[in-house]
Amino acid sequence: MTDASLVPTARLKGRRIVVTGGARGIGASIASRFAAEGADVAILDLLEGPGAATAARIGASFFRVDLSDEADTRTVLTEAIDSLGGIDVLVNNAGILRFAPLLEITTEDWDTMFRINTRAMLVTTQVAAKRMIAQRQGGQADASTAPGKIVNMASMGGKTGGAGQAHYAASKAAVIALTRVTALELGPEAITANCICPGYVLTEMGAATRTEADVAEWSSYSPLGRLAQPEDVAGVATFLASSDADYLTGQAINVTGGMIMH
């Protein structure tokens, strides 16, 4: 699917949305779909060249951020929200994927994975949720009809694990837990929180290590006989960001082509 094939329905018209890790892959597809649906989008990413190019292509704004740095994350996200005039949806998509045998993972490996995949989500959620709450208290939104929305990117690995993925799988399991607690605590503030658990997605992040044989083998795990494209995940993110998902919260939604069914 290309940008040109999207059929805009304006289901996100006027929504102010921040997407982390939106320079390429799943994040870029999500940002592109949101923009096509009428949202005002800000992309946050460490990759300045690809991020700026994606933002220019879809009519979004771009902010360079190091999500491993708490202070930088808080500062840049605040700047992005201010540029949008507020925030209605936060998509915590940014993350890293690295492999290592369990007995060879160092504590530095572990901490790096959690710092980017999980801790950054805590920081961005705090910043964005506080602004969402302030907006409602200031009369900028009707809490009964326009909940704030937080969409976190977890992984099938966070539910099933996988050899060589102890630190990655654990970080994504933590994302699922964080999402559920976020839903519990922020529900009374009219903020929903859900996460997406993709399976194998054909993105740039995994291109360097996968082979045609890998793709064929992994595809066989799905009843649909194929792997996901980034657009498959973007469609679910669009649903979660829209008013169609106003009564959905605390869920970890599989986008795995049936590779797991729970």
Side-chain angles (χ1 to χ4, degrees):
M1 182 184 294
T2 64
D3 293 343
S5 70
L6 291 174
V7 180
T9 63
R11 66 194 300 195
L12 301 180
K13 183 175 177 57
R15 301 217 173 187
R16 300 160 296 184
I17 303 179
V18 172
V19 180
T20 71
R24 61 185 185 182
I26 293 173
S29 183
I30 290 173
S32 179
R33 177 66 181 272
F34 284 0
E37 295 287 355
D40 296 321
V41 180
I43 293 172
L44 271 62
D45 206 297
L46 184 63
L47 302 174
E48 189 165 7
T54 296
R57 174 173 56 81
I58 68 175
S61 54
F62 172 75
F63 297 81
R64 184 184 183 278
V65 65
D66 180 358
L67 291 171
S68 69
D69 184 314
E70 178 184 352
D72 193 46
T73 299
R74 291 187 184 277
T75 298
V76 175
L77 178 54
T78 298
E79 291 174 355
I81 292 173
D82 287 344
S83 77
L84 293 172
I87 183 169
D88 302 299
V89 182
L90 168 67
V91 179
N92 282 313
N93 168 76
I96 59 174
L97 170 62
R98 294 173 183 169
F99 295 93
L102 175 65
L103 300 184
E104 296 178 12
I105 295 172
T106 66
T107 54
E108 182 179 354
D109 294 334
W110 185 275
D111 291 345
T112 297
M113 190 72 70
F114 270 78
R115 190 162 53 246
I116 297 173
N117 286 3
T118 310
R119 191 188 75 177
M121 287 193 187
L122 170 65
V123 175
T124 57
T125 294
Q126 289 174 335
V127 173
K130 287 176 181 178
R131 181 64 72 89
M132 290 175 185
I133 293 168
Q135 289 169 180
R136 281 158 180 75
Q137 292 175 344
Q140 292 186 32
D142 180 349
S144 66
T145 59
K149 295 176 183 291
I150 297 171
V151 180
N152 294 330
M153 196 62 62
S155 170
M156 179 173 71
K159 292 186 176 183
T160 64
Q165 296 183 1
H167 47 346
Y168 175 77
S171 74
K172 292 301 187 177
V175 168
I176 295 171
L178 174 62
T179 301
R180 289 170 175 162
V181 174
T182 301
L184 286 169
E185 293 197 19
L186 299 186
E189 301 292 349
I191 297 173
T192 67
N194 295 284
C195 63
I196 301 173
C197 300
Y200 297 100
V201 185
L202 295 171
T203 66
E204 297 98 323
M205 188 164 68
T209 58
R210 65 175 178 253
T211 65
E212 289 186 12
D214 291 333
V215 172
E217 178 184 355
W218 298 338
S219 296
S220 70
Y221 301 154
S222 166
L224 301 178
R226 69 174 180 88
L227 301 185
Q229 295 290 338
E231 291 80 9
D232 293 312
V233 183
V236 176
T238 302
F239 163 68
L240 291 174
S242 77
S243 59
D244 291 334
D246 282 357
Y247 197 61
L248 184 68
T249 196
Q251 304 305 305
I253 300 174
N254 298 326
V255 185
T256 67
M259 293 181 190
I260 59 173
M261 299 185 181
H262 61 77

